[in-house]
Amino acid sequence: MINAFKERDTSKSIYSLSFLIIIFLSLFCSFTQLSFGDEPQHLRQSIRALGMGNSFTAAVNDESALFYNPAGLKSLQQHIFEIATVDLTMSQNYFDLAEEDTDDQAAFIGELIGKKLYAEVNSEVFSISGPGWGYAVFGGALADITIHNPTVPFLDITAYVQKGVICGLAFDFLDETLDIGFNVKLIERNGIQKVIYISDYLDEDFEDNLRDEMKTESSYSPDIGFIYHLNRFYNLQTKLGFVVRNIGSMEFGSSGELPMTMDIGIATESELAGFDIIMAVDYVDLTSETTEETSYQRNLKMGMEIGAFKRSNGHHALSVRFGSNGPYFTYGLTLNPPFLPLKLDYASWSQEVGTVAGDVEDKRHSVQIAINF
């Protein structure tokens, strides 16, 4: 009888996994023609995820599932309330330039050539998530500036402010082995994506012209995600994740777009001597066109997290993490003291801004302060 039970259990697992593979292949074939070759862009990035290489497609188990993989909402074990959340990301170049001698303007500009000055700030007015559902109201601003050509400098600028709302649901199927989630997000953005030359800046109508080009656009789009739970192997729980984000893409006129992307990942969860351990590997933007001038490595993300003293809000009182975002090392930590509704996150990470992995590194630092319950 025991053997018969094992055979039925194995058959059920094989059937469940086959079902997930069929869904994945169907979606892959359906969306391949709509693929984009650009580096995937995220509406919001989790500071926690950035510390572990941003490998969160299958590993996500907190409120950021709304933005990474809505199926991860089913992995929440407690209700999480967040208010007055603020996070800031800045390029290391800002800190390096602060130490430069600005008296020599030519040398100062020379230091800037080819470098990216990236700054992003985000906030959540209110976020509430529970097992199988989530909702958030958020806003943010971004300034991404690159200076080119030391002889006749010009700027490549992307800048915008935005606000939006996102809500999602997740359900389990096949005896809780398959989680399927979806969300809908509505975003309003005002900004510009433009190349500015010195001659443009010297025009007396420069500010008025720039202001006229900045338009307010709204866009909405759904995401759909899947997480498949493999049978536990001793103390190791393994999950496979797949998500399609920004289905149909999100167009914002003068301030760019959020293209549709497809990501896949695998993650394990385990416990050792009282510590919770997560390991994850992702491959993002599956349908991106890769040529001899690009590299698959830039889309590969890996990470690990070690957490201790898990609190009732689903986060650990202390956790450390590290990983790699493409070829670049990342690390981070979280402090969420007991008896205090305060969570502090930090991540040091790098973004590839060249055409191939290891070409041009833009090192960044991210911090977040959140009041949560």
Side-chain angles (χ1 to χ4, degrees):
M1 181 177 294
I2 294 177
N3 290 335
F5 175 78
K6 288 183 178 179
E7 289 177 1
R8 287 197 300 270
D9 187 60
T10 301
S11 300
K12 182 172 61 179
S13 298
I14 294 173
Y15 171 78
S16 301
L17 184 58
S18 301
F19 179 74
L20 181 64
I21 292 173
I22 291 172
I23 293 176
F24 167 72
L25 292 175
S26 299
L27 287 168
F28 185 85
C29 294
S30 299
F31 292 129
T32 297
Q33 299 302 317
L34 301 175
S35 63
F36 295 84
D38 297 334
E39 186 76 13
Q41 300 295 316
H42 295 279
L43 178 62
R44 293 287 301 275
Q45 297 194 108
S46 162
I47 309 301
R48 176 189 174 198
L50 291 171
M52 51 188 296
N54 216 18
S55 54
F56 232 35
T57 301
V60 63
N61 59 4
D62 61 14
E63 64 279 1
S64 61
L66 278 170
F67 300 94
Y68 278 82
N69 184 347
L73 291 169
K74 201 62 184 173
S75 297
L76 271 66
Q77 298 178 354
Q78 297 90 7
H79 290 84
I80 304 174
F81 301 85
E82 287 199 339
I83 58 175
T85 300
V86 178
D87 61 73
L88 173 66
T89 296
M90 294 186 67
S91 292
Q92 177 65 36
N93 293 327
Y94 279 108
F95 302 99
D96 295 340
L97 291 172
E99 301 175 358
E100 294 290 334
D101 181 10
T102 58
D103 293 335
D104 187 345
Q105 295 186 359
F108 183 69
I109 293 177
E111 287 292 329
L112 291 173
I113 298 301
K115 293 184 177 179
K116 183 180 285 287
L117 297 176
Y118 183 97
E120 181 179 2
V121 60
N122 291 294
S123 65
E124 285 188 2
V125 179
F126 181 72
S127 170
I128 178 171
S129 303
W133 63 278
Y135 174 85
V137 179
F138 60 92
L142 177 142
D144 185 353
I145 304 171
T146 306
I147 302 178
H148 302 277
N149 194 341
T151 306
V152 184
F154 65 92
L155 309 178
D156 191 348
I157 295 179
T158 298
Y160 59 78
V161 294
Q162 65 181 10
K163 58 184 178 181
V165 60
I166 184 171
C167 56
L169 294 171
F171 306 91
D172 60 71
F173 300 90
L174 305 177
D175 292 335
E176 300 183 354
T177 60
L178 175 64
D179 299 333
I180 300 178
F182 64 91
N183 66 28
V184 177
K185 50 192 180 291
L186 173 63
I187 313 297
E188 181 182 272
R189 178 183 291 185
N190 178 272
I192 192 168
Q193 196 171 47
K194 182 179 177 65
V195 174
I196 300 177
Y197 296 89
I198 291 296
S199 57
D200 299 326
Y201 181 76
L202 296 177
D203 190 333
E204 61 180 11
D205 296 326
F206 171 72
E207 293 185 9
D208 292 335
N209 293 335
L210 193 63
R211 193 177 297 110
D212 291 339
E213 291 186 41
M214 298 179 67
K215 305 294 184 182
T216 299
E217 298 284 347
S218 297
S219 184
Y220 67 91
S221 176
D223 302 344
I224 184 170
F226 306 84
I227 291 180
Y228 181 78
H229 300 261
L230 297 174
N231 289 334
R232 180 180 291 273
F233 180 74
Y234 290 101
N235 191 35
L236 201 64
Q237 178 64 56
T238 304
K239 301 187 293 184
L240 301 177
F242 172 67
V243 62
V244 183
R245 279 200 290 263
N246 311 318
I247 297 175
S249 78
M250 303 184 73
E251 303 285 345
F252 295 103
S254 60
S255 54
E257 67 172 338
L258 283 170
M260 188 183 72
T261 60
M262 300 171 61
D263 306 335
I264 192 170
I266 183 171
T268 63
E269 297 179 359
S270 59
E271 187 270 337
L272 179 64
F275 294 95
D276 295 320
I277 301 172
I278 293 177
M279 296 183 288
V281 178
D282 279 13
Y283 191 87
V284 302
D285 203 10
L286 287 170
T287 59
S288 61
E289 296 181 4
T290 303
T291 66
E292 295 180 356
E293 297 180 352
T294 61
S295 170
Y296 282 112
Q297 187 183 2
R298 66 187 297 168
N299 293 5
L300 184 65
K301 304 173 186 295
M302 298 181 288
M304 181 177 184
E305 178 187 71
I306 302 174
F309 312 114
K310 193 168 187 177
R311 297 189 53 193
S312 60
N313 61 11
H315 295 281
H316 291 89
L318 173 65
S319 57
V320 295
R321 54 191 70 92
F322 54 88
S324 63
N325 183 14
Y328 303 120
F329 179 71
T330 70
Y331 64 90
L333 61 88
T334 294
L335 294 176
N336 191 15
F339 313 113
L340 288 177
L342 181 67
K343 182 167 69 73
L344 305 174
D345 288 286
Y346 169 77
S348 174
W349 57 288
S350 295
Q351 180 66 48
E352 177 58 64
V353 295
T355 56
V356 297
D359 185 14
V360 182
E361 176 185 11
D362 184 40
K363 188 173 180 60
R364 300 172 185 175
H365 302 276
S366 299
V367 293
Q368 182 184 74
I369 300 177
I371 297 176
N372 63 18
F373 302 90

